[in-house]
Amino acid sequence: MKPGTTSAACTALLKRDLALTWRRRGDALNPLLFAIIVVALFPFALGPEAQILERIAAGTIFVAVLLASLLSLDSLFRSDLDDGSLEQLVLSPHPLSLLLACKIAIHWLTTAVPLIAAAPLLAMLLHLPDSVLPVLLAALALATPLLSLIGAICVALTVALRRSGMLLTLLVLPLIVPVLIFGAGACNAAQAGLPYAAPLLWLAAWLVLALVLAPLATAAALRISLT
Amino acid sequence: MAEFLHMGGYGAYVWAAYTVFVVVLFADALMPLWQRRNTLREIDARLRRESNRKSTP
Amino acid sequence: MPACTGTMKMSPLVLWFHKLGSPPYFYRLAGRFLPWLYAIALVTGAVGLYGGLVVAPADYQQGDSFRMIYVHVPCAWMSLFVYAFMAANSFVALVWRIKLSETLAMASAPVGAAFTFITLVSGSLWGKPMWGTWWTWDARLTSELVLLFLYLGVIGLYHAIEDARQAARAAAFLALIGVVNLPIVHYSVVWWNTLHQGQTVSLMGQSKMSSSMLWPLLTMAFATHVYFFASLLARSRAALLALESGKEWVRGIAQTQEAHAHG
């Protein structure tokens, strides 16, 4: 049997992953629910004064989104490992990094895009000034794919473990500190009336770099984990 | 001597820092010894079990 | 034929390198060096501490509290040096699949974590009397904290995976990712601090140190380097025994050792 073209393989993988997510659409909304709960807890802890909430709004939303995507990372390769299709991917004649990039893209579409869509709601809950909202959305749009890409490398390293929860967090945490600093930093700068283009451009530069390198690194890590 | 321990009022900080230094590195030095002894003991126990199994029919 | 004699001259060194890669040879050679390394580290460390605590004069600004420099700064240097050493060995282990490099990389991680931990604690103890706070989010402190997390991640991943060689390769890969990450973290925090107008913290000052203050520092730096290699060899020896527990040479060592222990 002749193997199909690489683009056909990618399309098949994309369709399959979308179908699988659709079948478990309840699970897919978990990160969103988690982020809303985290953000809703802050006013209870800090008091309802709009001034305080306004000051911490951007940072809180960023941390909530980050924790929510961390929560969803573990499922990136889990079901594929259980049903053996992950090994099929590794053994397939197509470039593994490209196939993994498709998987990461679907993961980002199904977990992070709902979070970005919910960001205006979260911003409203914490009284974020309207002028900062576009900056927040732009920063989230640049930061969440970075989180998915960097997280995928760490998931690939821990995929063979039965229980990877805490360890995965420990691995991801130091790697995403810069993303958090620049993402939330851009919003804070915008809120303080300072120029915010530089941190956003830095995030964009890292995103381009990560788009090229992270799938390769994920593929290498997966090969180590599955031998 | 008391003046030396006092360290111009910073005694507690200075000596705490030096204590942490010595204690952590001492623990670090002991760990491989302990690990090595455990490994050798395990291997020896396994060898004994194997030879016992061979000698008793 | 000059080229030919050249390769002839090189061959003993290359041969020695190949021999070094064999676990029993490394185990014996490291065992021979170990007592000397420990002795040198202990003696120079004692001299350095004596010089730092007694001989060096009190700083004209910081008084006697500056004596913490003799544990803080050498450990801070070591935390970075050990990471570089670990990353270099990880690279060799992943590219050329050399077993000894895997062992060395994984053996250096706990020592590096220990040095990083001492750096954080002693820095905190120094910060309290100097800045009036145990912790400040300046670039160097934050990077050091991230470095500790990276070390813990490498150690955690190594111990979580069942198969020792696979574990070493995965952890080595993580160590290499950390190399890319660390400068990014450092400069991010620098940028973040300028945004927040954080206080500029400088423990070392820009003034030149007098030689009576400097020589204990350099002696301590030397002692910690020697100590690292001693601990590294001891840990590698213990790890090699566990890795090669089925091999003949390890059985021999186990039998003679335990025969001594049982009298």
Side-chain angles (χ1 to χ4, degrees):
Chain A
M1 200 180 82
K2 239 178 72 177
T5 60
T6 303
S7 60
C10 287
T11 322
L13 190 65
L14 289 172
K15 274 188 191 156
R16 171 181 171 275
D17 274 12
L18 272 180
L20 280 178
T21 321
W22 180 247
R23 248 176 251 164
R24 281 173 302 195
R25 47 193 177 274
D27 286 358
L29 288 179
N30 277 349
L32 182 61
L33 196 65
F34 178 78
I36 294 174
I37 291 171
V38 169
V39 167
L41 284 177
F42 270 83
F44 295 119
L46 296 170
E49 289 89 357
Q51 235 174 354
I52 300 174
L53 295 179
E54 203 185 306
R55 169 80 190 76
I56 60 153
T60 308
I61 293 169
F62 244 91
V63 172
V65 167
L66 195 146
L67 290 177
S69 36
L70 207 61
L71 193 72
S72 68
L73 267 181
D74 194 47
S75 66
L76 181 54
F77 298 135
R78 178 64 57 202
S79 65
D80 292 333
L81 182 75
D82 290 343
D83 65 15
S85 53
L86 197 59
E87 265 150 39
Q88 296 298 319
L89 277 189
V90 175
L91 292 174
S92 88
H94 308 293
L96 178 60
S97 53
L98 202 62
L99 298 176
L100 291 175
C102 293
K103 282 196 75 67
I104 298 169
I106 291 294
H107 185 263
W108 177 76
L109 269 177
T110 52
T111 59
V113 170
L115 284 171
I116 299 174
L121 172 75
L122 301 177
M124 193 194 68
L125 285 175
L126 294 179
H127 304 288
L128 188 80
D130 287 341
S131 58
V132 185
L133 189 61
V135 182
L136 175 72
L137 290 176
L140 281 177
L142 291 169
T144 47
L146 262 172
L147 294 179
S148 296
L149 287 163
I150 296 170
I153 305 174
C154 300
V155 178
L157 282 174
T158 56
V159 74
L161 301 176
R162 273 286 122 229
R163 280 143 48 78
S164 62
M166 199 53 218
L167 185 64
L168 183 63
T169 315
L170 181 65
L171 302 193
V172 174
L173 193 86
L175 300 179
I176 56 175
V177 166
V179 180
L180 182 64
I181 288 179
F182 277 75
C187 303
N188 290 336
Q191 207 163 342
L194 297 168
Y196 53 83
L200 287 182
L201 289 175
W202 272 113
L203 279 181
W206 285 334
L207 180 56
V208 172
L209 203 66
L211 273 174
V212 178
L213 294 180
L216 293 170
T218 311
L222 206 56
R223 286 219 162 86
I224 292 173
S225 292
L226 292 181
T227 45
Chain B
M1 189 65 194
E3 198 185 329
F4 176 62
L5 289 177
H6 188 59
M7 281 282 162
Y10 297 117
Y13 300 112
V14 173
W15 293 115
Y18 278 77
T19 311
V20 168
F21 176 75
V22 171
V23 168
V24 171
L25 288 190
F26 189 68
D28 176 76
L30 283 185
M31 231 186 309
L33 289 178
W34 178 75
Q35 206 183 335
R36 180 167 173 273
R37 206 188 55 186
N38 274 6
T39 312
L40 288 178
R41 207 171 267 177
E42 259 166 49
I43 295 167
D44 186 62
R46 200 182 64 212
L47 290 178
R48 267 165 216 274
R49 275 201 305 276
E50 277 169 14
S51 65
N52 283 349
R53 211 173 299 152
K54 267 176 209 153
S55 58
T56 51
Chain C
M1 286 184 283
C4 195
T5 50
T7 52
M8 288 291 278
K9 258 185 209 161
M10 279 301 289
S11 64
L13 188 68
V14 175
L15 199 71
W16 180 77
F17 239 78
H18 277 279
K19 259 168 95 178
L20 196 63
S22 111
Y25 181 76
F26 178 84
Y27 183 87
R28 255 181 292 135
L29 195 71
R32 213 173 301 156
F33 277 124
L34 254 185
W36 291 102
L37 287 176
Y38 274 127
I40 294 171
L42 206 65
V43 170
T44 52
V47 170
L49 286 185
Y50 178 79
L53 284 170
V54 181
V55 179
D59 187 69
Y60 78 101
Q61 272 181 328
Q62 303 195 3
D64 281 314
S65 78
F66 106 101
R67 294 184 198 282
M68 275 181 267
I69 198 175
Y70 299 115
V71 294
H72 178 74
V73 171
C75 288
W77 286 342
M78 286 314 289
S79 67
L80 291 174
F81 173 79
V82 175
Y83 200 93
F85 181 87
M86 179 173 79
N89 271 292
S90 298
F91 184 78
V92 172
L94 285 176
V95 174
W96 290 288
R97 305 193 171 221
I98 295 175
K99 208 172 176 179
L100 184 65
S101 293
E102 289 172 13
T103 312
L104 287 176
M106 290 307 115
S108 49
V111 195
F115 278 121
T116 315
F117 177 76
I118 299 171
T119 309
L120 283 171
V121 173
S122 62
S124 189
L125 283 165
W126 198 357
K128 183 65 184 164
M130 284 303 106
W131 319 320
T133 169
W134 296 105
W135 183 261
T136 152
W137 292 97
D138 103 307
R140 263 186 291 178
L141 282 170
T142 313
S143 311
E144 201 70 18
L145 186 66
V146 169
L147 187 65
L148 183 62
F149 282 141
L150 281 173
Y151 274 124
L152 293 181
V154 169
I155 297 169
L157 190 60
Y158 180 59
H159 287 288
I161 298 177
E162 200 82 25
D163 179 70
R165 292 208 63 185
Q166 192 193 341
R169 291 171 59 76
F173 193 78
L174 181 69
L176 285 183
I177 295 172
V179 172
V180 182
N181 184 51
L182 213 56
I184 297 182
V185 170
H186 187 88
Y187 289 107
S188 313
V189 181
V190 170
W191 176 83
W192 175 61
N193 260 324
T194 53
L195 183 75
H196 289 258
Q197 300 290 321
Q199 74 258 54
T200 45
V201 167
S202 159
L203 280 179
M204 302 274 287
Q206 56 274 44
S207 57
K208 268 201 230 158
M209 284 179 99
S210 72
S211 61
S212 61
M213 287 175 170
L214 189 61
W215 75 259
L217 183 63
L218 296 179
T219 313
M220 283 304 289
F222 177 77
T224 45
H225 273 82
V226 176
Y227 173 78
F228 163 63
F229 283 107
S231 184
L232 175 74
L233 291 186
R235 280 172 185 279
S236 306
R237 268 163 60 98
L240 281 178
L241 284 183
L243 279 175
E244 306 246 306
S245 62
K247 301 268 172 71
E248 195 54 51
W249 67 275
V250 180
R251 290 172 181 220
I253 292 168
Q255 275 163 339
T256 50
Q257 283 273 318
E258 290 299 303
H260 276 296
H262 290 294

